[in-house]
Amino acid sequence: MPLTGRRLAQLKGIGVGELRRVGPRKATGLAQMEIETVLDLLTHYPRRVADRTNEAPIASLEEGVEAVVTGEVQRSSSRRLRNGRSLAEVVVADGTGSLTCSFFNQPWRARQFETGQRVTVFGKVSLYRNRRQMANPLIDLVGDQTGRLVAVYPQSHKAGVTSLELNRYLEEALDRAKDFADPLPAPLRAELELVSRTAAFQGIHRPESLEQWWAARRRLAFDELLRLQVLLVWRRRADAASARGIAHLVPGHLLDRFLEGLPFELTTAQRRAIVEVRADLAAGHPMNRLLQGDVGAGKTVVALAALLLGIEGGYQGAFMVPTEVLAEQHFLSARRLLGELEIEDEDRLGGNRPVMAALLTNRTPAAERSRLLGDLASGAVDLVVGTHALISEGVDFARLGVVVVDEQHRFGVEQRAALREKASLDPDLLVMTATPIPRTAAMTVYGDLDHTTLDELPAGRAPISTRWLPGERQERAAWKRVLDEVAAGHQAYVVCPLVGSGGAEEEEPEDPDELIEEDDEDEGDGVVELFRRPPDEERRPARAVTEEREALASGPLAGLRVGLLHGQMPAREREPVMAAFRAGELDVLVATTVIEVGVDVANATVMVIEDADRFGIAQLHQLRGRVGRSSLQSWCYLVTAETVSEQAEHRLRALVTSQNGFELAEEDLDLRGGGTVLGARQKGRSDLKLANLRRDRALVVAAREVAERIVAEDPSLSGDYGLLREEVEATVSEEERAFLFRS
Ligand code: ADP
Ligand code: MG
């Protein structure tokens, strides 16, 4: 292959210290920022570009307009205001006049700039006591750089490296590298309307126009996505080619009896899913399938169907879930749904024996555990439900055939590998998500799996009426509904974020607002929101489940039978509470998010979520899905303080407006960006520095298509795509590489 120009793998071998402008001290600083090689430097992308196109003299600025000025810092200071907030001011002058930039609650701003430094400021002009001001403008150190567009880099005070210096290093690196080898042939680039690699590196770091910058960004983001997709497509092929799969070829009597015994008809979507799963199981290569479906779509039945097909052929099934409560719950519903199901056994009198199901978690008592381990190793247990304990040391299966993972994004490549180790043949794997995830995210995170979607809810489900109740007065509506529904013989849940007022926030410490991606690149449009989230002191303290139970039982819900459930209770205390609620011996269950997934009580018709602004969209949707599980009308109340952050308001409104998990997932992506969707599974997995699952939805789809095409054309990527292969290998994480070379 004719290759001219620098290759990424080559640049990865050149230390930044080799640049003339980088001395040993700065090299150390750069290393602290994880910029060690010229490749690291080139892929240290600008956060945005300062656009000085419409620069104006300060004296000409009129109130209310958005403007760009360049000038020198005259002074900067910070002080506390009477209301406790702090105010930092940076005064900038350009010879025609001066401008005060003010920043609330960002005292570090005053330290960021020194007198005499040249900065560019972008913001909206206001007049205060006849002085020109900008509140929270974008302010960038530009130094002596000329040019209309200046790239602004993530910089580090601690490492002592400024955006300005990065600019100079990049200038040298780009000048010396000149040309970059392009892994995509020109015709493919033309088809995809992508600029060349050389134009892309130039355009992202030294743009001559905003169009150029966006085109560069698009190309580089595409490259990131393509490398990832090539990897995923490769892995899928490797999985499929694995010769150790099991062909589960059974008549399906056990499955038929199971389905006949169900108290309901399958939905069309469930039928279709079972057909797909069955075909996978029958094939000689291991199944690797993702099952997505909205809350309440009936994924459990599909999972059990898969497990039973394996069990009928004499294999064992494992059902793995993320939490103990969920394991207990799934174990119970598996037992209930399996009922008196019998499996043919010629060694027995009468030729039948019951399907043996067991539960294994870290809480399983030692004696029971060792008995159970024996039964798993001997094959006496057909189906085991459990947590990650299932893939721990010492758990051995006689004939593990089918594995279902109810995942919630906590089950990654390593766990899959660990499970494989447990069996001599590769078990078939079905991964289920708790709530739908957006299409582009599914392609990225689960791009190595086949997909099945349950896009239909069982018939006769009444919609859940959802209301947001801000403030204590409105909250009463929720308690009134609980009283009415209990009087009508139904039950209710109340969910609080904390366990006790000590503040232990058990399952999901994530703060949904905290996870919003910084969207600097949009700032070119002048859209900046620096205060998306109210400062902590303005948030009311979260309610704790133990105290709330007392308060409710002696207050608005006096006279009702109110139970308590949280994850820090030992299992032996939790089980009777769940059992009592299921049996209708409790009217109300006050709980933490332990009830988020899997809890299934059709008679419950009211869900009250306190401090609902503290939860993310997917979590709220999942919690709401605990009601509306029958044809009874159900209600969901989102209780919050009088005011919530703007982001929280968007989330709550989304919940009120839509009950469709697929729609909400897209909405969540719009609001929060890809990071949260990818979560831990994505971390350290690849190099998505520029690509953004929200903004680049179309690119994700394109990258997938191209990856499929390329791998089909040149499976080992040794021909035209040799350079692409080299890049995948050079940019992929260690963990990922281990996988790559294994297959
Ligand atoms: P999810 O997809 O959220 O995991 P589940 O599998 O927990 O949903 O099912 C939700 C409830 O709906 C359960 O009570 C289950 O028994 C019931 N269910 C499942 N499939 C059907 C169906 N086809 N018709 C009626 N009810 C169903
Ligand atoms: Mg479920």
Side-chain angles (χ1 to χ4, degrees):
M1 175 184 27
L3 259 192
T4 55
R6 298 290 184 155
R7 293 162 19 236
L8 300 192
Q10 222 174 15
L11 297 166
K12 195 182 175 186
I14 306 176
V16 271
E18 292 186 32
L19 293 173
R20 277 187 287 275
R21 293 180 182 173
V22 179
R25 243 198 41 225
K26 289 295 171 184
T28 311
L30 287 167
Q32 276 181 41
M33 298 169 73
E34 293 182 4
I35 302 175
E36 296 182 31
T37 69
V38 173
L39 179 62
D40 295 336
L41 181 66
L42 284 168
T43 54
H44 187 71
Y45 297 117
R47 320 171 56 196
R48 60 192 151 87
V49 284
D51 182 359
R52 303 197 286 187
T53 313
N54 299 314
E55 212 165 83
I58 291 176
S60 74
L61 301 184
E62 301 202 1
E63 184 166 18
V65 302
E66 287 193 331
V68 184
V69 302
T70 294
E72 270 184 14
V73 173
Q74 294 218 300
R75 61 182 170 79
S76 57
S77 61
S78 148
R79 62 193 152 95
R80 279 227 160 255
L81 300 178
R82 244 177 301 157
N83 63 12
R85 296 175 124 205
S86 76
L87 172 66
E89 289 184 327
V90 179
V91 179
V92 175
D94 71 350
T96 72
S98 75
L99 172 78
T100 304
C101 307
S102 46
F103 302 90
F104 288 97
N105 281 346
Q106 301 169 62
W108 49 272
R109 287 286 191 185
R111 278 173 270 131
Q112 200 182 9
F113 301 101
E114 287 163 21
T115 305
Q117 284 180 328
R118 275 175 66 76
V119 293
T120 287
V121 185
F122 171 81
K124 192 167 179 178
V125 183
S126 59
L127 280 180
Y128 180 69
R129 294 192 182 148
N130 251 336
R131 292 180 51 89
R132 290 192 178 80
Q133 295 228 347
M134 283 186 189
N136 296 317
L138 289 175
I139 174 164
D140 296 313
L141 201 56
V142 293
D144 53 5
Q145 295 177 92
T146 52
R148 219 155 57 76
L149 299 176
V150 177
V152 180
Y153 293 94
Q155 51 185 14
S156 164
H157 262 281
K158 222 173 87 211
V161 182
T162 65
S163 170
L164 212 59
E165 287 164 326
L166 286 161
N167 234 309
R168 290 180 36 241
Y169 305 153
L170 274 155
E171 189 173 64
E172 184 186 340
L174 287 169
D175 283 347
R176 287 174 59 182
K178 284 201 201 68
D179 274 321
F180 295 88
D182 204 312
L184 299 184
L188 184 57
R189 272 181 352 235
E191 179 196 327
L192 298 164
E193 299 183 350
L194 293 171
V195 299
S196 72
R197 185 54 85 58
T198 304
F201 274 129
Q202 286 288 347
I204 196 93
H205 293 296
R206 289 196 292 187
E208 278 161 19
S209 66
L210 281 177
E211 293 72 43
Q212 215 181 59
W213 192 78
W214 281 108
R217 187 197 168 280
R218 183 165 174 274
R219 167 67 205 261
L220 294 167
F222 179 83
D223 288 350
E224 289 180 358
L225 292 166
L226 181 64
R227 289 193 289 264
L228 178 60
Q229 288 299 341
V230 163
L231 202 63
L232 292 166
V233 172
W234 256 353
R235 175 177 311 144
R236 206 164 85 152
R237 287 174 74 102
D239 281 344
S242 156
R244 302 194 312 157
I246 305 162
H248 296 276
L249 289 166
V250 291
H253 297 318
L254 190 59
L255 175 61
D256 291 343
R257 284 202 301 276
F258 165 64
L259 296 178
E260 277 159 25
L262 289 177
F264 44 75
E265 287 285 305
L266 292 185
T267 63
T268 312
Q270 281 171 321
R271 270 182 224 288
R272 201 177 49 227
I274 292 174
V275 168
E276 284 175 4
V277 165
R278 194 165 178 175
D280 274 8
L281 287 170
H285 57 76
M287 166 166 78
N288 279 295
R289 188 169 284 279
L290 175 74
L291 177 63
Q292 281 211 71
D294 208 341
V295 184
K299 294 185 283 289
T300 314
V301 169
V302 178
L304 289 174
L307 293 162
L308 287 174
L309 284 166
I311 291 169
E312 180 171 337
Y315 287 92
Q316 292 166 300
F319 197 155
M320 197 164 125
V321 300
T323 67
E324 316 236 331
V325 177
L326 192 48
E328 289 152 19
Q329 180 71 33
H330 267 328
F331 174 63
L332 291 175
S333 56
R335 266 214 318 222
R336 175 169 51 83
L337 289 168
L338 296 180
E340 309 281 281
L341 214 52
E342 296 205 316
I343 182 168
E344 283 155 37
D345 182 352
E346 287 160 10
D347 297 341
R348 286 234 183 172
L349 215 59
N352 285 326
R353 64 172 179 84
V355 171
M356 289 296 298
L359 173 69
L360 179 66
T361 71
N362 284 329
R363 292 215 165 100
T364 307
E368 205 179 313
R369 180 182 155 91
S370 67
R371 181 159 29 90
L372 178 54
L373 293 189
D375 287 349
L376 284 172
S378 74
V381 164
D382 301 303
L383 170 63
V384 62
V385 183
T387 55
H388 277 64
L390 285 181
I391 51 172
S392 58
E393 281 289 311
V395 183
D396 291 305
F397 292 84
R399 306 184 71 194
L400 183 59
V402 181
V403 177
V404 175
V405 178
D406 194 345
E407 105 139 350
Q408 281 199 306
H409 323 303
R410 281 175 230 180
F411 189 79
V413 179
E414 314 96 84
Q415 283 85 3
R416 252 162 83 186
L419 250 177
R420 289 245 160 93
E421 310 278 288
K422 302 259 166 231
S424 50
L425 294 170
D426 287 346
D428 288 78
L429 177 67
L430 185 68
V431 176
M432 307 200 292
T433 60
T435 51
I437 57 173
R439 190 163 99 93
T440 48
M443 263 183 196
T444 309
V445 187
Y446 301 97
D448 50 347
L449 306 181
D450 295 312
H451 293 204
T452 293
T453 304
L454 292 184
D455 52 5
E456 182 189 358
L457 291 181
R461 296 272 169 88
I464 304 167
S465 156
T466 304
R467 276 183 66 194
W468 172 25
L469 306 175
E472 301 211 352
R473 268 196 32 210
Q474 294 223 41
E475 184 180 331
R476 288 182 215 150
W479 307 130
K480 177 163 185 315
R481 177 73 63 193
V482 172
L483 292 171
D484 289 351
E485 280 299 292
V486 170
H490 304 142
Q491 292 162 286
Y493 300 99
V494 178
V495 173
C496 307
L498 303 183
V499 177
S501 59
E505 191 156 352
E506 60 178 358
E507 287 75 22
E508 291 292 323
E510 76 170 32
D511 180 332
D513 285 347
E514 213 56 285
L515 293 161
I516 294 162
E517 279 183 5
E518 290 249 353
D519 219 349
D520 313 276
E521 292 146 32
D522 280 341
E523 289 174 354
D525 309 324
V527 191
V528 224
E529 273 183 75
L530 290 163
F531 291 119
R532 277 169 165 160
R533 173 189 167 179
D536 276 339
E537 64 267 29
E538 288 177 22
R539 283 187 155 196
R540 74 168 179 185
R543 292 194 192 164
V545 73
T546 43
E547 281 121 57
E548 190 62 8
R549 182 192 166 267
E550 295 309 314
L552 288 173
S554 58
L557 304 184
L560 305 191
R561 297 166 300 175
V562 183
L564 172 71
L565 188 77
H566 60 74
Q568 294 179 10
M569 289 161 63
R572 72 190 131 70
E573 287 174 31
R574 277 195 322 243
E575 266 163 45
V577 175
M578 269 321 297
F581 190 71
R582 247 180 251 119
E585 290 155 15
L586 287 171
D587 302 312
V588 179
L589 191 57
V590 182
T592 56
T593 51
V594 283
I595 63 144
E596 182 181 338
V597 199
V599 172
D600 189 18
V601 178
N603 190 47
T605 54
V606 190
M607 165 63 70
V608 183
I609 306 172
E610 301 201 357
D611 300 309
D613 54 315
R614 295 195 176 232
F615 299 102
I617 285 188
Q619 214 175 8
L620 289 171
H621 182 60
Q622 186 59 242
L623 285 168
R624 174 169 62 182
R626 297 309 105 206
V627 298
R629 304 200 139 231
S630 67
S631 57
L632 297 169
Q633 165 73 51
S634 293
W635 290 267
C636 174
Y637 296 99
L638 308 170
V639 172
T640 69
E642 193 83 43
T643 55
V644 299
S645 73
E646 197 182 324
Q647 286 288 327
E649 184 168 338
H650 279 299
R651 293 196 294 274
L652 297 167
R653 290 201 186 287
L655 260 289
V656 169
T657 315
S658 174
Q659 208 178 308
N660 179 322
F662 291 91
E663 261 172 44
L664 287 170
E666 293 292 338
E667 184 82 16
D668 203 17
L669 183 60
D670 277 338
L671 287 174
R672 302 213 279 168
T676 57
V677 188
L678 299 179
R681 210 183 143 121
Q682 179 62 23
K683 267 206 198 101
R685 176 162 183 166
S686 186
D687 64 337
L688 296 190
K689 288 184 179 177
L690 273 181
N692 171 312
L693 293 189
R694 158 181 37 182
R695 181 175 307 135
D696 301 319
R697 283 171 163 106
L699 277 189
V700 173
V701 178
R704 177 69 183 197
E705 270 172 30
V706 171
E708 302 261 15
R709 240 161 66 191
I710 290 177
V711 175
E713 228 173 81
D714 181 5
S716 61
L717 299 194
S718 49
D720 284 353
Y721 293 101
L723 182 57
L724 181 58
R725 181 185 174 126
E726 184 184 280
E727 290 191 358
V728 171
E729 287 169 1
T731 52
V732 109
S733 71
E734 287 297 326
E735 170 197 329
E736 209 56 50
R737 197 162 339 156
F739 177 86
L740 216 125
F741 292 130
R742 204 198 66 196
S743 45

